[in-house]
Amino acid sequence: CSSLKEIIFEKKSSLKIIGSSSFENCSSLTDIMIPSSVENIDNYSFKECSSLKEVSFVYPSSLIKIGIKSFDGCTSLIIIQFLSSKSEQSKLNSIGKYAFNNCTSLKEMIIPSSVAMIGEGSFYMCISLNDIKIQSSLETIENNLFGECESLSSIIIPTSVKTIENNSFINCKKLTEIIIPSSVESIGRYSFKGCSSLSKIEFEKISCLKEIKNNSFEKCKLLTQITIPSFVTSIGDNAFSFCSSLTQISIPSSVTSFGYHIFDRIINSR
């Protein structure tokens, strides 16, 4: 459907599911308004719709699920608006793996409070994404969720999050500071590796953090100091290696496992 430019649904559409690969590779499609009746946008539905700039949903939206790679490779996508107003209550529950992967023009996103799960890599390689608001009660920041989002300068991690998985913020080069909520118990491998502008990491008081895994803050070149929370028992290999500005780190007595080369190539530490 490379010549398809426009899709018009009737106002009283009863469509509930947009099936797998329904509009995949419709490279001339520029915008679409999803009927309020739609509950499920299935896997690959709009994958590689490279001219798609805007996706909106007719009020009140019934959308519950966005499938795997449903908008993957929509490189012109700038706006996807789930809510038409602040008063609208979203029903959206889950966003599938790599749903917005490689949406290189996407600049901002508001995740509704109803969302309980965002799959791994959902915003991977969204290189223009600079503002994302997560209003939901997520428990896990999944693998690669914001990996390679090189324009992302700030993000508020919900206080419901218990696990930050591997590569979740890898190479977010403009991220300047991060607050780790007290609810977080584990920080995964390579989670903040290559965040070269990250100068401040703050752990909330009475932190539940128990482990900092391998390479988690490797190459955070502007990080100058860090205080490890008092319940941490394990710090993995290369956790702070190549943090070349790090001059001070406080390690609690609770730490019983110390990995290899944790502070490798830190020339200023004392």
Side-chain angles (χ1 to χ4, degrees), residues 27-81:
S27 55
S28 297
L29 184 66
T30 58
D31 61 84
I32 188 166
M33 184 167 283
I34 308 294
S36 63
S37 56
V38 171
E39 297 176 354
N40 184 3
I41 297 175
D42 217 339
N43 304 341
Y44 313 103
S45 295
F46 297 94
K47 186 176 185 286
E48 303 291 346
C49 290
S50 56
S51 297
L52 186 64
K53 292 183 178 180
E54 182 174 356
V55 178
S56 54
F57 299 84
V58 175
Y59 173 83
S61 175
S62 301
L63 187 67
I64 297 171
K65 178 184 177 183
I66 295 176
I68 295 169
K69 293 192 173 186
S70 46
F71 294 94
D72 178 21
C74 292
T75 53
S76 298
L77 184 63
I78 299 173
I79 299 172
I80 181 161
Q81 188 171 341

Side-chain angles (χ1 to χ4, degrees), residues 132 134 141 146 152-158 161 164 168-169 172 174-181 184 187 191-193 195 197-204 216-217 220 223 225-227 240:
I132 185 159
I134 306 174
I141 302 292
F146 300 105
L152 186 66
S153 58
S154 66
I155 187 169
I156 297 174
I157 298 175
V161 169
I164 298 174
S168 47
F169 295 95
C172 290
K174 290 191 177 179
L175 191 65
T176 57
E177 63 179 82
I178 195 81
I179 298 174
I180 308 294
V184 173
I187 297 177
S191 48
F192 294 94
K193 180 183 177 182
C195 293
S197 297
L198 187 65
S199 60
K200 183 179 180 181
I201 302 168
E202 181 180 338
F203 296 95
E204 286 187 341
S216 47
F217 294 98
C220 292
L223 187 64
Q225 60 182 9
I226 189 167
T227 300
F240 297 96

Side-chain angles (χ1 to χ4, degrees), residues 17 23-24 73 82 117 127 151 153 170 174 179 191 196 218 223 228:
I17 298 173
F23 300 100
E24 185 174 358
F82 295 117
M117 192 279 291
I127 59 174
S151 297
S153 58
I170 191 170
K174 290 191 177 179
I179 298 174
S191 48
S196 53
E218 182 181 355
L223 187 64
I228 306 296

